[in-house]
């Protein structure tokens, strides 16, 4: 464990880089410790279609969440496709979560953990909380049906060929993509009932909003406490993009578009924090 002076956009917030050995190599996470012992923990799993991204990309977001909640927060790394195919990412997230819980030097409340994932990271979050448990889950613009390549395209969203490429790189076996462990929308009611209280955040200008809406219906049918919040003007990835300061690079069409995404981000962050406080 070593202290880092990380160049954050939000604030110069000290953090720890954690490294744990595993069969797949070193497991890495960026950890923000709360000022008081025994505070809850927010576990963040980045997006990127299982093929890109890192714990560093969500460091600003975790720093802000830690500061505004007074909780601990951690951003997880995992192996990426195509070099590491399914189930490598899911195995890494599960192993890293177990290592964090077993690390006696980390003074968070093991009964008060909220797992938050973005896009493909939300997919990994579902698998994690179903197998390992958590006090709650937050799924931001989740990609939950890897087998679906016919969903309706929405302007300014992720092109179909990009999603298809990510799916092929992470799981070349088309039949396996329908496994509920990889595409949670194929879960039965009994499997879905293993989910903790869940917040599903969808973006109105995102083709993947259909996955989030369908998952809410699945959880409701299984008797799981689920809340759905949609931001009509938001585009896919708006939370991570805004938090990391990449908004102008990604949403470059107009200043109006940029401001709209920033507004959605600020509201979503407030709603997410409110929800986490309610369930923990």
């Amino acid at each position: 464990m070593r202290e880092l002076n990380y160049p954050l956009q939000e604030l110069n917030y000290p953090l720890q880089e954690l490294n744990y050995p595993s069969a797949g190599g070193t497991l890495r996470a960026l950890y923000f410790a709360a000022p008081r012992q025994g505070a809850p923990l927010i576990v963040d799993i980045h997006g990127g279609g299982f093929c890109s991204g890192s714990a560093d990309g969500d460091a600003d977001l975790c720093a802000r969440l830690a500061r505004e909640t007074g909780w601990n927060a951690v951003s997880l790394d995992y192996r990426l496709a195509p070099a590491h195919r399914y189930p490598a990412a899911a195995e890494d997230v599960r192993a890293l979560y177990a290592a964090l819980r077993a690390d006696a030097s980390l003074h968070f409340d093991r009964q008060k953990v909220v797992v938050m994932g973005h896009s493909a990271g939300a997919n990994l979050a579902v698998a994690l909380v179903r197998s390992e448990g958590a006090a709650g889950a937050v799924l931001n613009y989740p990609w939950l049906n890897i087998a679906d390549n016919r969903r309706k395209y929405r302007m300014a969203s992720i092109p179909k060929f990009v999603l298809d490429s990510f799916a092929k790189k992470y799981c070349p076996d088309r039949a396996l993509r329908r496994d509920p462990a990889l595409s949670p929308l194929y879960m039965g009611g009994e499997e879905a009932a293993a989910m903790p209280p869940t917040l599903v955040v969808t973006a109105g200008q995102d083709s993947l909003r259909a996955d989030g809406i369908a998952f809410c219906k699945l959880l409701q049918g299984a008797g799981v406490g689920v809340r759905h919040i949609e931001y009509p003007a938001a585009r896919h990835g708006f939370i991570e993009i805004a938090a990391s300061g990449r908004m102008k690079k990604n949403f470059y069409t107009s200043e109006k578009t940029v401001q709209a995404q920033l507004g959605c981000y600020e509201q979503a962050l407030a709603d997410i924090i409110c929800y986490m406080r309610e369930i923990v």
Side-chain angles (χ1 to χ4, degrees):
M1 182 187 302
R2 64 189 178 94
E3 295 284 345
L4 299 177
N5 290 316
Y6 199 84
L8 299 175
Q9 299 286 341
E10 291 284 347
L11 69 167
N12 186 20
Y13 200 106
L15 63 85
Q16 295 170 308
E17 182 182 74
L18 307 177
N19 292 280
Y20 303 100
S22 76
T26 301
L27 299 169
R28 176 176 176 269
L30 300 179
Y31 188 87
F32 297 84
R36 66 180 178 88
Q37 293 192 6
L41 173 67
I42 303 165
V43 175
D44 178 271
I45 307 175
H46 70 81
F50 306 106
C51 297
S52 64
S54 70
D56 304 82
D58 282 5
D60 293 284
L61 176 60
C62 287
R64 182 169 178 182
L65 286 170
R67 181 190 65 181
E68 296 195 7
T69 60
W71 296 3
N72 304 280
V74 63
S75 180
L76 307 187
D77 249 345
Y78 51 87
R79 287 173 293 169
L80 301 174
H84 304 284
R85 293 173 172 167
Y86 175 77
E91 290 175 345
D92 285 357
V93 167
R94 187 163 54 248
L96 189 44
Y97 183 64
L100 290 167
R101 294 178 66 88
D103 190 335
S105 71
L106 304 179
H107 304 294
F108 64 89
D109 189 330
R110 269 61 176 173
Q111 304 305 311
K112 296 181 178 180
V113 178
V114 178
V115 178
M116 178 173 68
H118 314 266
S119 193
N123 183 300
L124 297 172
V126 172
L128 178 62
V129 299
R130 282 185 59 230
S131 65
E132 304 302 322
V138 176
L139 310 178
N140 297 323
Y141 29 87
W143 188 17
L144 302 175
N145 189 349
I146 310 305
D148 181 11
N149 64 356
R150 296 185 177 182
R151 63 172 59 81
K152 183 178 179 181
Y153 175 72
R154 299 181 71 86
M155 191 63 66
S157 185
I158 303 174
K160 173 183 174 299
F161 76 89
V162 174
L163 288 175
D164 290 348
S165 175
F166 286 155
K168 183 178 180 180
K169 289 177 181 177
Y170 186 51
C171 183
D173 186 340
R174 288 182 177 273
L176 187 56
R177 293 177 204 167
R178 293 179 177 270
D179 189 316
L182 180 55
S183 290
L185 285 183
Y186 288 92
M187 291 193 302
E190 192 171 316
E191 293 174 296
M195 286 291 294
T198 301
L199 171 64
V200 177
V201 172
T202 56
Q205 307 305 311
D206 179 16
S207 300
L208 288 179
R209 68 184 291 272
D211 287 26
I213 292 170
F215 196 62
C216 286
K217 293 178 180 178
L218 176 62
L219 295 189
Q220 289 169 348
V224 175
V226 59
R227 184 177 303 172
H228 174 218
I229 303 178
E230 179 162 296
Y231 303 90
R235 298 182 180 183
H236 187 82
F238 72 101
I239 292 174
E240 289 177 290
I241 292 170
S244 62
R246 295 181 286 123
M247 184 61 69
K248 289 187 180 295
K249 178 180 178 180
N250 289 72
F251 298 117
Y252 55 83
T253 52
S254 70
E255 184 63 25
K256 182 179 180 180
T257 300
V258 169
Q259 292 306 316
Q261 301 309 302
L262 291 173
C264 291
Y265 161 65
E266 292 295 339
Q267 185 59 59
L269 209 65
D271 291 339
I272 289 169
I273 290 172
C274 181
Y275 179 80
M276 291 192 298
R277 286 175 171 158
E278 285 180 16
I279 63 172
V280 172

